[in-house]
């Protein structure tokens, strides 16, 4: 059971803005940066956001990340059909001395 | 370009062992740590641990001690995940991923394409 809690699903129509939350504790999100990964079926996971709110080159600006206290969020604006994927937050946990992934959120573009 | 290429799918019987390879190209394997992540069918990503590619010292997450072995052959830029005494619930896709760091924090990028290991009699 993951200690980074994400909603199992999210949805939106093309052009909408959706947010995915990730809730943790002082041992993980409260103490360490959060990264987000996009995972399309049959593909390798892809880094989407690092260090809470930084976008790697090649990631569209409509993807953004934020963190406050022990929670983080991924926002996707101008939703597109190709954004339909699973999204995972991740953070280092100081009590486990290991990396934690959230349970993942399946995003459906209606 | 920087990439990790993993070995192909495996079908194994319970009790057998499997060795998954992960070849690094476009950078020196020993420059960055290498992590392993599992995804069981219908489940999310689960961190298995990491290997210090300079010293070869592995660190295993809870639940991945004993039967799971991380190793390296730096002469050919290869990392390995070996699983002994396979069980049906080891059936999963296994990913290797490079940890890139800015000195303050790290993230996994890139990832290998994944290796499906199926354990079935």
């Amino acid at each position: 059971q993951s200690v980074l809690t994400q909603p199992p699903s999210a949805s939106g129509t093309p052009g909408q803005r959706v947010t995915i939350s990730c809730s943790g504790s002082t041992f993980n999100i409260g103490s360490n940066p959060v990264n987000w990964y996009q995972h399309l079926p049959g593909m390798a996971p892809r880094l989407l956001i690092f260090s809470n709110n930084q976008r790697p080159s090649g990631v569209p600006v409509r993807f953004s990340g934020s963190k406050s206290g022990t929670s983080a969020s991924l926002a996707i604006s101008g939703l597109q059909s190709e954004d339909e994927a699973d999204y995972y937050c991740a953070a280092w946990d100081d009590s486990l001395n290991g990396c934690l992934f959230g349970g993942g959120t399946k995003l459906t573009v209606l | 370009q920087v990439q990790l290429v993993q070995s192909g799918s495996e079908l194994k019987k319970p009790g057998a062992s499997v060795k998954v390879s992960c070849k690094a190209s476009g950078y020196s394997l020993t420059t960055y740590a290498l992590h392993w992540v599992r995804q069981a069918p219908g489940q999310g990503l689960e961190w298995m641990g990491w290997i210090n590619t300079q010293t070869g010292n592995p660190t295993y997450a809870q639940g991945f001690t004993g039967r799971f072995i991380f190793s390296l052959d730096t002469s050919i830029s290869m990392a390995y995940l070996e699983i002994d005494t396979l069980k049906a619930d080891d059936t999963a896709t296994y990913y290797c991923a490079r940890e890139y760091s800015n000195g303050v924090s790290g993230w996994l990028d890139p990832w290998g394409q994944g290796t499906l290991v199926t354990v079935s009699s």
Side-chain angles (χ1 to χ4, degrees):
Chain A
Q1 184 177 352
S2 174
V3 294
L4 296 185
T5 302
Q6 297 180 235
S9 63
S11 63
T13 56
Q16 270 191 329
R17 182 177 187 271
V18 296
T19 61
I20 297 171
S21 62
C22 176
S23 177
S25 74
T26 55
F27 296 111
N28 39 69
I29 294 178
S31 306
N32 297 294
V34 176
N35 304 315
W36 289 89
Y37 301 92
Q38 179 191 57
H39 193 197
L40 283 81
M43 304 284 286
R46 169 197 183 194
L47 177 69
L48 208 58
I49 296 288
F50 67 93
S51 296
N52 303 324
N53 55 17
Q54 302 299 301
R55 269 187 318 277
S57 61
V59 172
V61 297
R62 53 198 188 79
F63 291 92
S64 62
S66 63
K67 187 180 97 167
S68 178
T70 59
S71 294
S73 291
L74 172 71
I76 309 171
S77 59
L79 199 61
Q80 298 181 6
S81 58
E82 60 259 37
D83 298 334
E84 193 161 281
D86 295 323
Y87 292 84
Y88 295 89
C89 59
W92 190 262
D93 188 285
D94 292 335
S95 66
L96 296 174
N97 197 28
C99 178
L100 281 177
F101 285 96
T105 298
K106 184 176 183 62
L107 175 63
T108 301
V109 181
L110 303 170
Chain B
Q1 80 271 27
V2 174
Q3 62 177 351
L4 297 171
V5 178
Q6 298 183 225
S7 49
S9 299
E10 301 267 10
L11 174 60
K12 296 289 184 180
K13 295 188 183 304
S17 64
V18 68
K19 196 168 187 176
V20 175
S21 67
C22 169
K23 183 167 177 61
S25 63
Y27 78 102
S28 173
L29 177 69
T30 56
T31 303
Y32 303 99
L34 199 289
H35 293 243
W36 290 93
V37 176
R38 181 173 79 176
Q39 185 176 37
Q43 303 299 309
L45 302 176
E46 184 177 17
W47 183 72
M48 300 175 65
W50 67 285
I51 185 165
N52 183 320
T53 55
Q54 293 185 333
T55 65
N57 183 49
T59 298
Y60 301 99
Q62 293 176 9
F64 294 99
T65 56
R67 296 188 301 115
F68 299 84
I69 303 167
F70 305 151
S71 62
L72 303 169
D73 185 340
T74 56
S75 67
I76 55 172
S77 297
M78 203 80 84
Y80 300 98
L81 163 65
E82 185 170 9
I83 311 173
D84 292 333
T85 319
L86 284 161
K87 306 174 183 179
D89 59 7
D90 292 323
T91 295
T93 298
Y94 293 85
Y95 296 97
C96 60
R98 182 186 74 165
E99 177 187 341
Y100 191 86
S101 171
N102 60 3
V104 176
S105 63
W107 50 89
L108 302 181
D109 181 54
W111 294 57
Q113 83 278 19
T115 297
L116 174 62
V117 175
T118 304
V119 183
S120 175
S121 55

